[in-house]
Amino acid sequence: PGEDTGVFLESESKPEVLEHFTISISFRSITRSQLLFFLPGACVQIQQVVCKKQADQSAVYNHFCDKKSKPKEKRRSCNTEPCSPTWWTGEWSECSRSCNGGLQTREVLCKRRISTTEEKILDDSACTPPRPSFTEPCNNHSCPPEWLALDWSECTPSCGPGYRHRVVLCKSGESGDTLPESKCPKHGRPTSRVRCNLQRCPPSQWVMGPWGECSAKCGLGQEMRSVQCLTHTGQPSNECLDHQRPVAMQQCKSKCDTSLPVSTDNPEECKDVNTVAYCPLVLRFKFCSRPYFRQMCCKTCQGH
């Protein structure tokens, strides 16, 4: 009615590409709009209808127009050609070093969008160069001096109470230069020696040497050997049990040469086989009357 009477007009102006991808179903104050989803076959252009004044073509509320004569909104597909491959970059990783220069990396792929939820990874040659960088320097500032402790040594000795040792250095960062210890904080220096005890040491043991030659050239005599109490490292010890001490002397027998009979009548041929302690005991206990002892202690038993 009057000049304020509105009519529905269909605009033939070219659509504009919006920068976002939402669809508004309400009437707008422009004559035509288009919304593009940059996917092949999924893009839609919407032609909207508004109520305008005939006088100045300004938009007015819809109730000023006759609803029965309102045209339907039109839609059509657009941008049906395949999407071009584009470079895709991931998030940068953490820096490989906290100071003295490190690197951070990211994933760089060539992708083509297939649908709203699907992408296809292509060879890098499918995308337009240059390829975005996948590494970048980071944390180039110098590291403050700090203590660096190397690995512990093995426990020494291998049993019983001992120590582990390690080298402690003052460095500018883990891979930096070695500095004088005065450059690092006096407090907080890691210890370079700790006590350790892997296992109990084996007890000291009696160790025997080989038997010596028999003291008798013929018949019964004595043979001796060394008996020592030693630690597991071969050092002398007094921790062995006396009742377990092996014998250091035992009786032996030599085969007599029958071609040279023993003669007790010739004083030059009569002599003691053992002159240290054995023969005096034979005389003391009156064993000279026995043939064996008289032979072994010929000189001592003469005249008895």
Side-chain angles (χ1 to χ4, degrees):
E3 294 182 356
D4 294 333
T5 301
V7 295
F8 286 100
L9 299 176
E10 182 174 333
S11 173
E12 294 297 331
S13 59
K14 293 183 179 180
E16 296 177 356
V17 177
L18 303 182
E19 295 180 355
H20 50 82
F21 301 107
T22 58
I23 300 176
S24 175
I25 60 173
S26 60
F27 296 143
R28 301 180 61 184
S29 59
I30 59 175
T31 58
R32 199 177 199 190
S33 69
Q34 93 174 350
L35 300 177
L36 299 182
F37 302 88
F38 293 101
L39 303 171
C43 305
V44 177
Q45 288 180 318
I46 302 176
Q47 188 182 56
Q48 293 184 329
V49 179
V50 295
C51 183
K52 287 188 174 182
K53 283 185 180 182
Q54 290 183 343
D56 56 7
Q57 294 297 307
S58 61
V60 296
Y61 292 108
N62 291 337
H63 66 267
F64 286 108
C65 292
D66 185 4
K67 293 182 180 181
K68 295 180 181 180
S69 61
K70 179 183 177 182
K72 293 184 177 180
E73 287 186 345
K74 294 182 179 180
R75 299 186 178 205
R76 68 181 180 186
S77 299
C78 60
N79 196 28
T80 57
E81 66 277 3
C83 295
S84 300
T86 57
W87 293 109
W88 176 89
T89 56
E91 297 292 331
W92 286 109
S93 68
E94 292 186 5
C95 193
S96 61
R97 298 180 61 181
S98 59
C99 52
N100 276 0
L103 281 178
Q104 55 185 4
T105 60
R106 65 178 176 180
E107 192 176 17
V108 178
L109 300 173
C110 179
K111 290 185 177 183
R112 184 198 297 273
R113 187 177 290 276
I114 305 301
S115 66
T116 55
T117 59
E118 183 181 2
E119 291 179 326
K120 184 178 181 180
I121 299 177
L122 307 177
D123 188 80
D124 288 354
S125 60
C127 284
T128 305
R131 183 178 187 267
S133 173
F134 63 93
T135 61
E136 185 176 71
C138 53
N139 293 339
N140 293 320
H141 58 279
S142 299
C143 294
E146 60 182 356
W147 295 108
L148 177 65
L150 304 185
D151 294 335
W152 287 106
S153 68
E154 294 184 358
C155 189
T156 305
S158 60
C159 65
Y163 288 95
R164 292 181 184 270
H165 298 84
R166 65 179 177 181
V167 177
V168 178
L169 302 174
C170 178
K171 305 202 74 174
S172 174
E174 185 175 350
S175 302
D177 298 330
T178 301
L179 306 174
E181 291 198 359
S182 58
K183 298 292 184 181
C184 282
K186 293 182 180 180
H187 303 289
R189 184 186 190 279
T191 181
S192 58
R193 187 180 76 164
V194 292
R195 288 186 176 274
C196 57
N197 194 336
L198 297 180
Q199 58 186 349
R200 294 185 61 183
C201 291
S204 300
Q205 293 182 340
W206 292 108
V207 179
M208 294 79 69
W211 288 106
E213 292 184 2
C214 190
S215 60
K217 300 296 182 181
C218 174
L220 296 176
Q222 290 178 325
E223 58 184 5
M224 302 182 68
R225 65 180 177 181
S226 65
V227 178
Q228 293 178 291
C229 179
L230 301 177
T231 65
H232 71 287
T233 59
Q235 300 300 316
S237 172
N238 57 0
E239 296 180 356
C240 297
L241 300 177
D242 289 335
H243 71 274
Q244 294 180 347
R245 180 187 177 98
V247 295
M249 182 174 63
Q250 68 179 7
Q251 191 178 61
C252 59
K253 184 176 182 180
S254 297
K255 186 176 181 180
C256 296
D257 189 355
T258 57
S259 63
L260 297 173
V262 178
S263 175
T264 58
D265 298 330
N266 189 350
E268 294 181 358
E269 295 294 331
C270 182
K271 58 182 179 179
D272 293 344
V273 176
N274 190 335
T275 60
V276 178
Y278 186 84
C279 290
L281 292 176
V282 170
L283 181 61
R284 179 180 176 184
F285 292 107
K286 300 178 180 180
F287 288 161
C288 287
S289 59
R290 300 182 184 183
Y292 167 74
F293 292 109
R294 191 170 187 84
Q295 180 184 1
M296 296 298 293
C297 302
C298 179
K299 187 176 182 179
T300 302
C301 290
Q302 277 182 342
H304 297 281

